[in-house]
Amino acid sequence: MIADETTDRAGEWTERQKAVLDVVLALLVEIGDAVTMTAVARRASCSKETLYKWFGDRDGLLSATVQWQASKVHVAAFDRNTLDAGSLEARLAEYAANWLRVISGERSIALNRVAISHAGAARSTLGDIVLRHGRFALGKRMMPVLEAGAEKGLIAFDDREEAFRTFFGLIARDVQIRLLLGDTLAMDEAAIIADAARATRQFLALYAPEARPVQTRPRLRTLT
Amino acid sequence: MIADETTDRAGEWTERQKAVLDVVLALLVEIGDAVTMTAVARRASCSKETLYKWFGDRDGLLSATVQWQASKVHVAAFDRNTLDAGSLEARLAEYAANWLRVISGERSIALNRVAISHAGAARSTLGDIVLRHGRFALGKRMMPVLEAGAEKGLIAFDDREEAFRTFFGLIARDVQIRLLLGDTLAMDEAAIIADAARATRQFLALYAPEARPVQTRPRLRTLT
DNA sequence: GCCGAACCGTAACGTACGGTACGGTTTGAT
DNA sequence: ATCAAACCGTACCGTACGTTACGGTTCGGC
């Protein structure tokens, strides 16, 4: 979950409201969508009437929770002028590692679960919100890096969106769906760093510029 | 969702029970986890008492539904003896296309949503069942192909599970998570075929054997 | 201090649903 | 035909929960 500056409401909440949203987050991690307004009110020492006054309804409270959580995740900017092959790879690996940390974090798992379980319902916008703060926010942040890399002749692609989607697939592979379905998948920091590096190397191999000397290509056997 | 021969119970149900499970499937597609036992009983012209007698409880009914749906999906075997570069690529692309058809199908989406929304609950095994019939079943079927390809020197990898997971990521990319969260993503037959071919070419490029002549490599610019 | 708004803890309302019970009908075996 | 089991449609039970209401307390502005 990543902050999305264009539509975030995080700046509009009081500290008290944010404390309530932290309670919702904790409860979502503990019991998922089984969280009741009564449970939130009790744990947050807040009346249900106030909850409804502040957030509208249950869906509104959940939406606010997603946005609040997303506002806590910040991604570093990058310097376009100093980008070279080494810093491109480092930057991409950093994005990849951050994404893996997000999707394997218990909060993101809980929020995605809730949003997915509401996605069939006609009135819920949770799925849109999670996508906007998740996959699409990541794309928005990474795209300038990809473009800068292409401008500098470090990578090459016909369609930047396709290139991003492929990198996305190389990063997450089967991790997110397994975690969402309850699989126990070890994603400690070492695994995350290694996976991010692997994904980045694979991505750069697939999208190496054609003019690049063939013998300087990474040895593909090291990619597994 | 793919049949898993070792634990399937599909063969144990009567035609009447299968008809009921089809009703559950249809309702899951229409209204997701909001499906009630009363709605199932009414649509299937079946009493709730009978539902409980046949399937135990609500979770049992949902589990049976996953297994029933999975039993309907069959994957063709492959001939190990005649495998060459062309047929390896064709075979992998076929697996990839099948997988994309499955995950973009409304039934699979509905079943994954239900399983994910239950995955936090302590007592539900839906997540395990869906994984077993999904990602893990695909792996089980594809692994012999990857191994045969490696034996024939058509591809090379240090760790077959890692190779499979990367291929999995290249196939699905961001498709499944977007569909689960309610995004409208065009996955018509043409898109599926193209995506499967792209993923296969990318996979084969990443895992080409080292001894293979460099100039015969696919042009990576065509991969986007 | 006064006063209205905001908020808390609790009660109440209306609806919903998983699961069980019941009377009657149907089915299958003898 | 008889009889027990299986099944259907409906009622019932107990619990649950989103949402609103209420009396009292706290807070903030004047």
Side-chain angles (χ1 to χ4, degrees), chain A residues 1 25 28-33 66 69 99-117 130 175-187, chain B residues 115-120 177 181:
Chain A
M1 300 292 115
L25 260 183
L28 283 174
V29 167
E30 289 171 33
I31 58 177
D33 201 32
V66 174
Q69 168 64 14
W99 184 242
L100 286 170
R101 283 186 201 104
V102 167
I103 64 174
S104 59
E106 57 183 12
R107 290 181 185 178
S108 169
I109 289 169
L111 290 172
N112 268 277
R113 282 204 182 117
V114 172
I116 286 168
S117 67
V130 169
V175 170
Q176 193 168 25
I177 193 63
R178 287 170 72 177
L179 291 175
L180 290 175
L181 286 164
D183 200 9
T184 54
L185 193 61
M187 293 301 291
Chain B
I116 286 168
S117 66
H118 287 227
I177 191 65
L181 285 164

mmCIF file of all heavy atoms in Angstrom, chain A residues 1 25 28-33 66 69 99-117 130 175-187, chain B residues 115-120 177 181:
data_model
loop_
_atom_site.group_PDB
_atom_site.id
_atom_site.type_symbol
_atom_site.label_atom_id
_atom_site.label_comp_id
_atom_site.label_asym_id
_atom_site.label_seq_id
_atom_site.Cartn_x
_atom_site.Cartn_y
_atom_site.Cartn_z
ATOM 1 N N MET A 1 0.849 -1.189 0.000
ATOM 2 C CA MET A 1 0.000 0.000 0.000
ATOM 3 C C MET A 1 0.879 1.232 0.000
ATOM 4 O O MET A 1 1.762 1.378 0.837
ATOM 5 C CB MET A 1 -0.894 0.013 1.246
ATOM 6 C CG MET A 1 -1.819 -1.192 1.337
ATOM 7 S SD MET A 1 -3.053 -1.176 0.072
ATOM 8 C CE MET A 1 -2.569 -2.615 -0.848
ATOM 9 N N LEU A 25 -7.022 -1.306 11.836
ATOM 10 C CA LEU A 25 -5.946 -2.067 11.209
ATOM 11 C C LEU A 25 -5.550 -3.271 12.038
ATOM 12 O O LEU A 25 -5.428 -4.394 11.519
ATOM 13 C CB LEU A 25 -4.715 -1.168 11.042
ATOM 14 C CG LEU A 25 -4.461 -0.549 9.684
ATOM 15 C CD1 LEU A 25 -3.158 0.241 9.722
ATOM 16 C CD2 LEU A 25 -4.388 -1.606 8.602
ATOM 17 N N LEU A 28 -8.204 -5.872 11.882
ATOM 18 C CA LEU A 28 -8.245 -6.540 10.578
ATOM 19 C C LEU A 28 -7.161 -7.612 10.482
ATOM 20 O O LEU A 28 -7.371 -8.683 9.924
ATOM 21 C CB LEU A 28 -8.073 -5.530 9.442
ATOM 22 C CG LEU A 28 -9.311 -4.684 9.105
ATOM 23 C CD1 LEU A 28 -8.946 -3.634 8.052
ATOM 24 C CD2 LEU A 28 -10.458 -5.550 8.606
ATOM 25 N N VAL A 29 -5.998 -7.293 11.031
ATOM 26 C CA VAL A 29 -4.909 -8.271 11.039
ATOM 27 C C VAL A 29 -5.289 -9.477 11.895
ATOM 28 O O VAL A 29 -5.024 -10.625 11.536
ATOM 29 C CB VAL A 29 -3.602 -7.632 11.548
ATOM 30 C CG1 VAL A 29 -2.557 -8.678 11.854
ATOM 31 C CG2 VAL A 29 -3.079 -6.631 10.531
ATOM 32 N N GLU A 30 -5.945 -9.220 13.014
ATOM 33 C CA GLU A 30 -6.290 -10.304 13.936
ATOM 34 C C GLU A 30 -7.434 -11.170 13.444
ATOM 35 O O GLU A 30 -7.385 -12.392 13.536
ATOM 36 C CB GLU A 30 -6.691 -9.733 15.301
ATOM 37 C CG GLU A 30 -5.548 -9.147 16.089
ATOM 38 C CD GLU A 30 -6.062 -8.401 17.312
ATOM 39 O OE1 GLU A 30 -7.090 -8.816 17.868
ATOM 40 O OE2 GLU A 30 -5.429 -7.402 17.697
ATOM 41 N N ILE A 31 -8.521 -10.534 12.979
ATOM 42 C CA ILE A 31 -9.729 -11.315 12.676
ATOM 43 C C ILE A 31 -10.309 -11.039 11.291
ATOM 44 O O ILE A 31 -11.376 -11.541 10.960
ATOM 45 C CB ILE A 31 -10.830 -11.084 13.745
ATOM 46 C CG1 ILE A 31 -11.200 -9.602 13.843
ATOM 47 C CG2 ILE A 31 -10.374 -11.596 15.093
ATOM 48 C CD1 ILE A 31 -12.337 -9.337 14.841
ATOM 49 N N GLY A 32 -9.609 -10.245 10.510
ATOM 50 C CA GLY A 32 -10.060 -10.008 9.140
ATOM 51 C C GLY A 32 -11.414 -9.326 9.054
ATOM 52 O O GLY A 32 -11.774 -8.519 9.918
ATOM 53 N N ASP A 33 -12.161 -9.671 8.029
ATOM 54 C CA ASP A 33 -13.438 -9.032 7.763
ATOM 55 C C ASP A 33 -14.475 -9.322 8.833
ATOM 56 O O ASP A 33 -15.568 -8.768 8.804
ATOM 57 C CB ASP A 33 -13.955 -9.489 6.392
ATOM 58 C CG ASP A 33 -14.976 -8.534 5.805
ATOM 59 O OD1 ASP A 33 -14.873 -7.313 6.063
ATOM 60 O OD2 ASP A 33 -15.868 -8.999 5.106
ATOM 61 N N VAL A 66 -7.742 1.733 4.661
ATOM 62 C CA VAL A 66 -6.808 1.474 3.555
ATOM 63 C C VAL A 66 -6.003 2.727 3.263
ATOM 64 O O VAL A 66 -4.778 2.696 3.118
ATOM 65 C CB VAL A 66 -7.554 1.038 2.280
ATOM 66 C CG1 VAL A 66 -6.593 0.908 1.109
ATOM 67 C CG2 VAL A 66 -8.273 -0.282 2.506
ATOM 68 N N GLN A 69 -3.480 3.499 6.046
ATOM 69 C CA GLN A 69 -2.321 2.617 5.984
ATOM 70 C C GLN A 69 -1.413 2.988 4.823
ATOM 71 O O GLN A 69 -0.186 3.023 4.950
ATOM 72 C CB GLN A 69 -2.768 1.149 5.849
ATOM 73 C CG GLN A 69 -1.682 0.160 5.495
ATOM 74 C CD GLN A 69 -0.587 0.022 6.548
ATOM 75 O OE1 GLN A 69 -0.751 0.472 7.660
ATOM 76 N NE2 GLN A 69 0.519 -0.602 6.173
ATOM 77 N N TRP A 99 8.290 -3.539 -2.626
ATOM 78 C CA TRP A 99 6.997 -4.142 -2.985
ATOM 79 C C TRP A 99 6.824 -5.495 -2.301
ATOM 80 O O TRP A 99 5.744 -5.809 -1.798
ATOM 81 C CB TRP A 99 6.871 -4.269 -4.498
ATOM 82 C CG TRP A 99 5.549 -4.783 -4.934
ATOM 83 C CD1 TRP A 99 5.294 -5.930 -5.607
ATOM 84 C CD2 TRP A 99 4.271 -4.168 -4.702
ATOM 85 N NE1 TRP A 99 3.946 -6.067 -5.805
ATOM 86 C CE2 TRP A 99 3.296 -5.012 -5.271
ATOM 87 C CE3 TRP A 99 3.866 -2.979 -4.067
ATOM 88 C CZ2 TRP A 99 1.933 -4.708 -5.217
ATOM 89 C CZ3 TRP A 99 2.504 -2.685 -4.023
ATOM 90 C CH2 TRP A 99 1.564 -3.533 -4.584
ATOM 91 N N LEU A 100 7.879 -6.273 -2.279
ATOM 92 C CA LEU A 100 7.795 -7.570 -1.611
ATOM 93 C C LEU A 100 7.556 -7.403 -0.116
ATOM 94 O O LEU A 100 6.827 -8.179 0.498
ATOM 95 C CB LEU A 100 9.064 -8.388 -1.868
ATOM 96 C CG LEU A 100 9.190 -8.969 -3.282
ATOM 97 C CD1 LEU A 100 10.582 -9.542 -3.519
ATOM 98 C CD2 LEU A 100 8.126 -10.047 -3.524
ATOM 99 N N ARG A 101 8.154 -6.375 0.467
ATOM 100 C CA ARG A 101 7.912 -6.122 1.897
ATOM 101 C C ARG A 101 6.446 -5.764 2.128
ATOM 102 O O ARG A 101 5.816 -6.227 3.075
ATOM 103 C CB ARG A 101 8.792 -4.962 2.406
ATOM 104 C CG ARG A 101 10.217 -5.361 2.627
ATOM 105 C CD ARG A 101 11.032 -4.255 3.275
ATOM 106 N NE ARG A 101 12.437 -4.516 2.987
ATOM 107 C CZ ARG A 101 13.159 -3.860 2.074
ATOM 108 N NH1 ARG A 101 12.638 -2.870 1.396
ATOM 109 N NH2 ARG A 101 14.427 -4.198 1.858
ATOM 110 N N VAL A 102 5.922 -4.950 1.235
ATOM 111 C CA VAL A 102 4.523 -4.531 1.379
ATOM 112 C C VAL A 102 3.598 -5.739 1.276
ATOM 113 O O VAL A 102 2.779 -6.007 2.168
ATOM 114 C CB VAL A 102 4.151 -3.460 0.328
ATOM 115 C CG1 VAL A 102 2.652 -3.267 0.261
ATOM 116 C CG2 VAL A 102 4.845 -2.153 0.652
ATOM 117 N N ILE A 103 3.732 -6.491 0.160
ATOM 118 C CA ILE A 103 2.750 -7.564 -0.067
ATOM 119 C C ILE A 103 2.892 -8.717 0.926
ATOM 120 O O ILE A 103 1.958 -9.513 1.091
ATOM 121 C CB ILE A 103 2.766 -8.111 -1.510
ATOM 122 C CG1 ILE A 103 4.093 -8.792 -1.854
ATOM 123 C CG2 ILE A 103 2.430 -7.024 -2.485
ATOM 124 C CD1 ILE A 103 4.089 -9.466 -3.229
ATOM 125 N N SER A 104 4.018 -8.836 1.567
ATOM 126 C CA SER A 104 4.169 -9.910 2.549
ATOM 127 C C SER A 104 3.888 -9.425 3.969
ATOM 128 O O SER A 104 3.894 -10.218 4.902
ATOM 129 C CB SER A 104 5.562 -10.539 2.475
ATOM 130 O OG SER A 104 6.553 -9.570 2.716
ATOM 131 N N GLY A 105 3.622 -8.138 4.109
ATOM 132 C CA GLY A 105 3.304 -7.601 5.424
ATOM 133 C C GLY A 105 1.884 -7.966 5.828
ATOM 134 O O GLY A 105 0.980 -8.013 4.996
ATOM 135 N N GLU A 106 1.706 -8.239 7.102
ATOM 136 C CA GLU A 106 0.394 -8.714 7.553
ATOM 137 C C GLU A 106 -0.711 -7.677 7.323
ATOM 138 O O GLU A 106 -1.857 -8.029 7.088
ATOM 139 C CB GLU A 106 0.452 -9.109 9.026
ATOM 140 C CG GLU A 106 0.910 -7.995 9.926
ATOM 141 C CD GLU A 106 1.020 -8.437 11.385
ATOM 142 O OE1 GLU A 106 0.958 -9.641 11.662
ATOM 143 O OE2 GLU A 106 1.174 -7.531 12.228
ATOM 144 N N ARG A 107 -0.373 -6.409 7.372
ATOM 145 C CA ARG A 107 -1.396 -5.394 7.138
ATOM 146 C C ARG A 107 -1.894 -5.406 5.700
ATOM 147 O O ARG A 107 -3.087 -5.342 5.440
ATOM 148 C CB ARG A 107 -0.856 -4.004 7.486
ATOM 149 C CG ARG A 107 -0.678 -3.833 8.970
ATOM 150 C CD ARG A 107 -0.178 -2.462 9.298
ATOM 151 N NE ARG A 107 0.106 -2.367 10.725
ATOM 152 C CZ ARG A 107 0.606 -1.277 11.283
ATOM 153 N NH1 ARG A 107 0.881 -0.212 10.554
ATOM 154 N NH2 ARG A 107 0.830 -1.251 12.574
ATOM 155 N N SER A 108 -0.960 -5.453 4.785
ATOM 156 C CA SER A 108 -1.354 -5.484 3.374
ATOM 157 C C SER A 108 -2.146 -6.735 3.054
ATOM 158 O O SER A 108 -3.138 -6.684 2.308
ATOM 159 C CB SER A 108 -0.095 -5.417 2.500
ATOM 160 O OG SER A 108 -0.424 -5.683 1.169
ATOM 161 N N ILE A 109 -1.727 -7.843 3.633
ATOM 162 C CA ILE A 109 -2.473 -9.091 3.410
ATOM 163 C C ILE A 109 -3.899 -8.939 3.928
ATOM 164 O O ILE A 109 -4.868 -9.277 3.246
ATOM 165 C CB ILE A 109 -1.753 -10.275 4.100
ATOM 166 C CG1 ILE A 109 -0.457 -10.597 3.352
ATOM 167 C CG2 ILE A 109 -2.649 -11.501 4.126
ATOM 168 C CD1 ILE A 109 0.456 -11.560 4.073
ATOM 169 N N ALA A 110 -4.026 -8.415 5.126
ATOM 170 C CA ALA A 110 -5.361 -8.244 5.710
ATOM 171 C C ALA A 110 -6.209 -7.307 4.855
ATOM 172 O O ALA A 110 -7.390 -7.580 4.583
ATOM 173 C CB ALA A 110 -5.247 -7.721 7.135
ATOM 174 N N LEU A 111 -5.636 -6.208 4.433
ATOM 175 C CA LEU A 111 -6.399 -5.236 3.651
ATOM 176 C C LEU A 111 -6.785 -5.782 2.285
ATOM 177 O O LEU A 111 -7.909 -5.580 1.809
ATOM 178 C CB LEU A 111 -5.587 -3.933 3.491
ATOM 179 C CG LEU A 111 -5.425 -3.119 4.777
ATOM 180 C CD1 LEU A 111 -4.445 -1.973 4.555
ATOM 181 C CD2 LEU A 111 -6.764 -2.574 5.260
ATOM 182 N N ASN A 112 -5.871 -6.465 1.652
ATOM 183 C CA ASN A 112 -6.206 -7.071 0.364
ATOM 184 C C ASN A 112 -7.305 -8.116 0.520
ATOM 185 O O ASN A 112 -8.206 -8.204 -0.307
ATOM 186 C CB ASN A 112 -4.962 -7.723 -0.251
ATOM 187 C CG ASN A 112 -4.205 -6.776 -1.168
ATOM 188 O OD1 ASN A 112 -4.564 -6.624 -2.333
ATOM 189 N ND2 ASN A 112 -3.196 -6.124 -0.642
ATOM 190 N N ARG A 113 -7.234 -8.893 1.588
ATOM 191 C CA ARG A 113 -8.269 -9.897 1.820
ATOM 192 C C ARG A 113 -9.642 -9.260 1.948
ATOM 193 O O ARG A 113 -10.621 -9.719 1.352
ATOM 194 C CB ARG A 113 -7.981 -10.694 3.094
ATOM 195 C CG ARG A 113 -6.941 -11.748 2.932
ATOM 196 C CD ARG A 113 -7.123 -12.837 3.983
ATOM 197 N NE ARG A 113 -6.072 -13.814 3.824
ATOM 198 C CZ ARG A 113 -5.134 -14.094 4.746
ATOM 199 N NH1 ARG A 113 -5.166 -13.487 5.916
ATOM 200 N NH2 ARG A 113 -4.219 -14.991 4.490
ATOM 201 N N VAL A 114 -9.714 -8.216 2.736
ATOM 202 C CA VAL A 114 -10.997 -7.542 2.931
ATOM 203 C C VAL A 114 -11.500 -6.965 1.612
ATOM 204 O O VAL A 114 -12.676 -7.109 1.253
ATOM 205 C CB VAL A 114 -10.866 -6.431 3.995
ATOM 206 C CG1 VAL A 114 -12.140 -5.615 4.062
ATOM 207 C CG2 VAL A 114 -10.569 -7.041 5.346
ATOM 208 N N ALA A 115 -10.608 -6.327 0.898
ATOM 209 C CA ALA A 115 -11.012 -5.716 -0.373
ATOM 210 C C ALA A 115 -11.460 -6.765 -1.379
ATOM 211 O O ALA A 115 -12.455 -6.587 -2.086
ATOM 212 C CB ALA A 115 -9.855 -4.893 -0.943
ATOM 213 N N ILE A 116 -10.753 -7.867 -1.434
ATOM 214 C CA ILE A 116 -11.119 -8.939 -2.364
ATOM 215 C C ILE A 116 -12.468 -9.530 -1.989
ATOM 216 O O ILE A 116 -13.305 -9.799 -2.847
ATOM 217 C CB ILE A 116 -10.025 -10.021 -2.408
ATOM 218 C CG1 ILE A 116 -8.809 -9.500 -3.181
ATOM 219 C CG2 ILE A 116 -10.537 -11.310 -3.031
ATOM 220 C CD1 ILE A 116 -7.560 -10.340 -3.050
ATOM 221 N N SER A 117 -12.696 -9.698 -0.693
ATOM 222 C CA SER A 117 -13.962 -10.309 -0.291
ATOM 223 C C SER A 117 -15.130 -9.363 -0.535
ATOM 224 O O SER A 117 -16.264 -9.799 -0.637
ATOM 225 C CB SER A 117 -13.909 -10.767 1.157
ATOM 226 O OG SER A 117 -13.813 -9.681 2.028
ATOM 227 N N VAL A 130 -7.739 -0.208 -3.079
ATOM 228 C CA VAL A 130 -6.543 -1.027 -2.857
ATOM 229 C C VAL A 130 -5.689 -1.098 -4.120
ATOM 230 O O VAL A 130 -4.464 -0.996 -4.064
ATOM 231 C CB VAL A 130 -6.919 -2.444 -2.371
ATOM 232 C CG1 VAL A 130 -5.732 -3.377 -2.405
ATOM 233 C CG2 VAL A 130 -7.495 -2.364 -0.960
ATOM 234 N N VAL A 175 4.009 -15.181 -4.981
ATOM 235 C CA VAL A 175 4.022 -14.827 -3.574
ATOM 236 C C VAL A 175 2.678 -14.321 -3.064
ATOM 237 O O VAL A 175 2.137 -14.797 -2.065
ATOM 238 C CB VAL A 175 5.119 -13.774 -3.308
ATOM 239 C CG1 VAL A 175 5.009 -13.210 -1.900
ATOM 240 C CG2 VAL A 175 6.489 -14.378 -3.536
ATOM 241 N N GLN A 176 2.135 -13.328 -3.775
ATOM 242 C CA GLN A 176 0.951 -12.686 -3.221
ATOM 243 C C GLN A 176 -0.257 -13.610 -3.170
ATOM 244 O O GLN A 176 -0.945 -13.661 -2.149
ATOM 245 C CB GLN A 176 0.612 -11.420 -4.020
ATOM 246 C CG GLN A 176 -0.416 -10.551 -3.291
ATOM 247 C CD GLN A 176 -0.576 -9.175 -3.889
ATOM 248 O OE1 GLN A 176 -0.315 -8.959 -5.073
ATOM 249 N NE2 GLN A 176 -0.997 -8.221 -3.075
ATOM 250 N N ILE A 177 -0.522 -14.328 -4.210
ATOM 251 C CA ILE A 177 -1.690 -15.209 -4.204
ATOM 252 C C ILE A 177 -1.561 -16.285 -3.134
ATOM 253 O O ILE A 177 -2.534 -16.648 -2.471
ATOM 254 C CB ILE A 177 -1.941 -15.821 -5.612
ATOM 255 C CG1 ILE A 177 -3.319 -16.472 -5.669
ATOM 256 C CG2 ILE A 177 -0.840 -16.781 -6.024
ATOM 257 C CD1 ILE A 177 -4.482 -15.540 -5.482
ATOM 258 N N ARG A 178 -0.353 -16.780 -2.929
ATOM 259 C CA ARG A 178 -0.161 -17.798 -1.899
ATOM 260 C C ARG A 178 -0.410 -17.225 -0.505
ATOM 261 O O ARG A 178 -1.083 -17.844 0.323
ATOM 262 C CB ARG A 178 1.239 -18.416 -1.994
ATOM 263 C CG ARG A 178 1.387 -19.352 -3.179
ATOM 264 C CD ARG A 178 2.823 -19.765 -3.407
ATOM 265 N NE ARG A 178 3.304 -20.688 -2.379
ATOM 266 C CZ ARG A 178 4.524 -21.240 -2.401
ATOM 267 N NH1 ARG A 178 5.364 -20.946 -3.363
ATOM 268 N NH2 ARG A 178 4.882 -22.071 -1.459
ATOM 269 N N LEU A 179 0.148 -16.048 -0.261
ATOM 270 C CA LEU A 179 -0.042 -15.453 1.055
ATOM 271 C C LEU A 179 -1.511 -15.141 1.296
ATOM 272 O O LEU A 179 -2.039 -15.375 2.384
ATOM 273 C CB LEU A 179 0.805 -14.180 1.189
ATOM 274 C CG LEU A 179 2.324 -14.395 1.233
ATOM 275 C CD1 LEU A 179 3.069 -13.075 1.237
ATOM 276 C CD2 LEU A 179 2.708 -15.224 2.470
ATOM 277 N N LEU A 180 -2.186 -14.613 0.274
ATOM 278 C CA LEU A 180 -3.606 -14.279 0.437
ATOM 279 C C LEU A 180 -4.440 -15.524 0.733
ATOM 280 O O LEU A 180 -5.419 -15.466 1.475
ATOM 281 C CB LEU A 180 -4.137 -13.577 -0.819
ATOM 282 C CG LEU A 180 -3.628 -12.160 -1.067
ATOM 283 C CD1 LEU A 180 -4.141 -11.632 -2.405
ATOM 284 C CD2 LEU A 180 -4.055 -11.231 0.064
ATOM 285 N N LEU A 181 -4.062 -16.648 0.151
ATOM 286 C CA LEU A 181 -4.813 -17.885 0.365
ATOM 287 C C LEU A 181 -4.386 -18.618 1.633
ATOM 288 O O LEU A 181 -4.852 -19.721 1.903
ATOM 289 C CB LEU A 181 -4.689 -18.807 -0.856
ATOM 290 C CG LEU A 181 -5.518 -18.362 -2.076
ATOM 291 C CD1 LEU A 181 -5.052 -19.058 -3.342
ATOM 292 C CD2 LEU A 181 -7.005 -18.636 -1.836
ATOM 293 N N GLY A 182 -3.482 -17.995 2.378
ATOM 294 C CA GLY A 182 -3.159 -18.562 3.677
ATOM 295 C C GLY A 182 -1.932 -19.444 3.707
ATOM 296 O O GLY A 182 -1.647 -20.051 4.749
ATOM 297 N N ASP A 183 -1.207 -19.529 2.615
ATOM 298 C CA ASP A 183 0.006 -20.348 2.605
ATOM 299 C C ASP A 183 1.054 -19.724 3.531
ATOM 300 O O ASP A 183 1.092 -18.508 3.712
ATOM 301 C CB ASP A 183 0.561 -20.406 1.174
ATOM 302 C CG ASP A 183 1.494 -21.598 0.962
ATOM 303 O OD1 ASP A 183 1.562 -22.463 1.869
ATOM 304 O OD2 ASP A 183 2.137 -21.652 -0.087
ATOM 305 N N THR A 184 1.874 -20.575 4.109
ATOM 306 C CA THR A 184 2.977 -20.053 4.911
ATOM 307 C C THR A 184 4.203 -20.032 4.008
ATOM 308 O O THR A 184 4.722 -21.059 3.590
ATOM 309 C CB THR A 184 3.242 -20.958 6.129
ATOM 310 O OG1 THR A 184 3.442 -22.292 5.667
ATOM 311 C CG2 THR A 184 2.082 -20.909 7.092
ATOM 312 N N LEU A 185 4.605 -18.842 3.660
ATOM 313 C CA LEU A 185 5.713 -18.651 2.737
ATOM 314 C C LEU A 185 6.736 -17.780 3.452
ATOM 315 O O LEU A 185 6.423 -16.685 3.895
ATOM 316 C CB LEU A 185 5.166 -17.930 1.499
ATOM 317 C CG LEU A 185 5.991 -17.854 0.247
ATOM 318 C CD1 LEU A 185 6.297 -19.240 -0.302
ATOM 319 C CD2 LEU A 185 5.241 -17.062 -0.808
ATOM 320 N N ALA A 186 7.927 -18.292 3.551
ATOM 321 C CA ALA A 186 8.948 -17.545 4.285
ATOM 322 C C ALA A 186 9.393 -16.332 3.469
ATOM 323 O O ALA A 186 9.947 -16.470 2.383
ATOM 324 C CB ALA A 186 10.136 -18.448 4.582
ATOM 325 N N MET A 187 9.123 -15.154 3.960
ATOM 326 C CA MET A 187 9.563 -13.937 3.284
ATOM 327 C C MET A 187 10.327 -13.065 4.287
ATOM 328 O O MET A 187 9.919 -11.954 4.595
ATOM 329 C CB MET A 187 8.360 -13.163 2.724
ATOM 330 C CG MET A 187 7.625 -13.860 1.599
ATOM 331 S SD MET A 187 8.651 -14.202 0.168
ATOM 332 C CE MET A 187 8.938 -12.541 -0.458
ATOM 333 N N ALA B 115 -12.345 -18.116 -1.030
ATOM 334 C CA ALA B 115 -11.271 -18.752 -0.269
ATOM 335 C C ALA B 115 -10.394 -17.715 0.425
ATOM 336 O O ALA B 115 -9.993 -17.900 1.582
ATOM 337 C CB ALA B 115 -10.426 -19.622 -1.199
ATOM 338 N N ILE B 116 -10.108 -16.643 -0.275
ATOM 339 C CA ILE B 116 -9.277 -15.588 0.321
ATOM 340 C C ILE B 116 -9.995 -14.944 1.491
ATOM 341 O O ILE B 116 -9.398 -14.676 2.531
ATOM 342 C CB ILE B 116 -8.891 -14.544 -0.749
ATOM 343 C CG1 ILE B 116 -7.823 -15.132 -1.676
ATOM 344 C CG2 ILE B 116 -8.390 -13.258 -0.102
ATOM 345 C CD1 ILE B 116 -7.565 -14.324 -2.931
ATOM 346 N N SER B 117 -11.294 -14.716 1.326
ATOM 347 C CA SER B 117 -12.014 -14.060 2.415
ATOM 348 C C SER B 117 -12.150 -14.972 3.627
ATOM 349 O O SER B 117 -12.364 -14.505 4.734
ATOM 350 C CB SER B 117 -13.380 -13.567 1.944
ATOM 351 O OG SER B 117 -14.215 -14.641 1.620
ATOM 352 N N HIS B 118 -12.021 -16.255 3.447
ATOM 353 C CA HIS B 118 -12.060 -17.183 4.577
ATOM 354 C C HIS B 118 -10.675 -17.510 5.104
ATOM 355 O O HIS B 118 -10.532 -18.177 6.128
ATOM 356 C CB HIS B 118 -12.728 -18.502 4.159
ATOM 357 C CG HIS B 118 -14.203 -18.386 3.972
ATOM 358 N ND1 HIS B 118 -15.085 -19.283 4.504
ATOM 359 C CD2 HIS B 118 -14.952 -17.487 3.314
ATOM 360 C CE1 HIS B 118 -16.312 -18.937 4.174
ATOM 361 N NE2 HIS B 118 -16.262 -17.845 3.441
ATOM 362 N N ALA B 119 -9.641 -17.080 4.394
ATOM 363 C CA ALA B 119 -8.288 -17.528 4.727
ATOM 364 C C ALA B 119 -7.836 -17.069 6.112
ATOM 365 O O ALA B 119 -6.994 -17.704 6.733
ATOM 366 C CB ALA B 119 -7.297 -17.057 3.671
ATOM 367 N N GLY B 120 -8.381 -15.944 6.590
ATOM 368 C CA GLY B 120 -7.996 -15.508 7.923
ATOM 369 C C GLY B 120 -8.617 -16.346 9.019
ATOM 370 O O GLY B 120 -8.077 -16.447 10.112
ATOM 371 N N ILE B 177 -4.321 -10.618 -9.456
ATOM 372 C CA ILE B 177 -4.634 -9.707 -8.359
ATOM 373 C C ILE B 177 -5.584 -8.608 -8.812
ATOM 374 O O ILE B 177 -6.470 -8.187 -8.069
ATOM 375 C CB ILE B 177 -3.332 -9.114 -7.722
ATOM 376 C CG1 ILE B 177 -3.668 -8.395 -6.439
ATOM 377 C CG2 ILE B 177 -2.594 -8.202 -8.684
ATOM 378 C CD1 ILE B 177 -4.209 -9.281 -5.344
ATOM 379 N N LEU B 181 -9.428 -8.065 -7.355
ATOM 380 C CA LEU B 181 -9.810 -6.797 -6.728
ATOM 381 C C LEU B 181 -10.876 -6.057 -7.526
ATOM 382 O O LEU B 181 -11.234 -4.934 -7.191
ATOM 383 C CB LEU B 181 -8.575 -5.921 -6.516
ATOM 384 C CG LEU B 181 -7.662 -6.358 -5.360
ATOM 385 C CD1 LEU B 181 -6.288 -5.708 -5.459
ATOM 386 C CD2 LEU B 181 -8.308 -6.022 -4.012
#
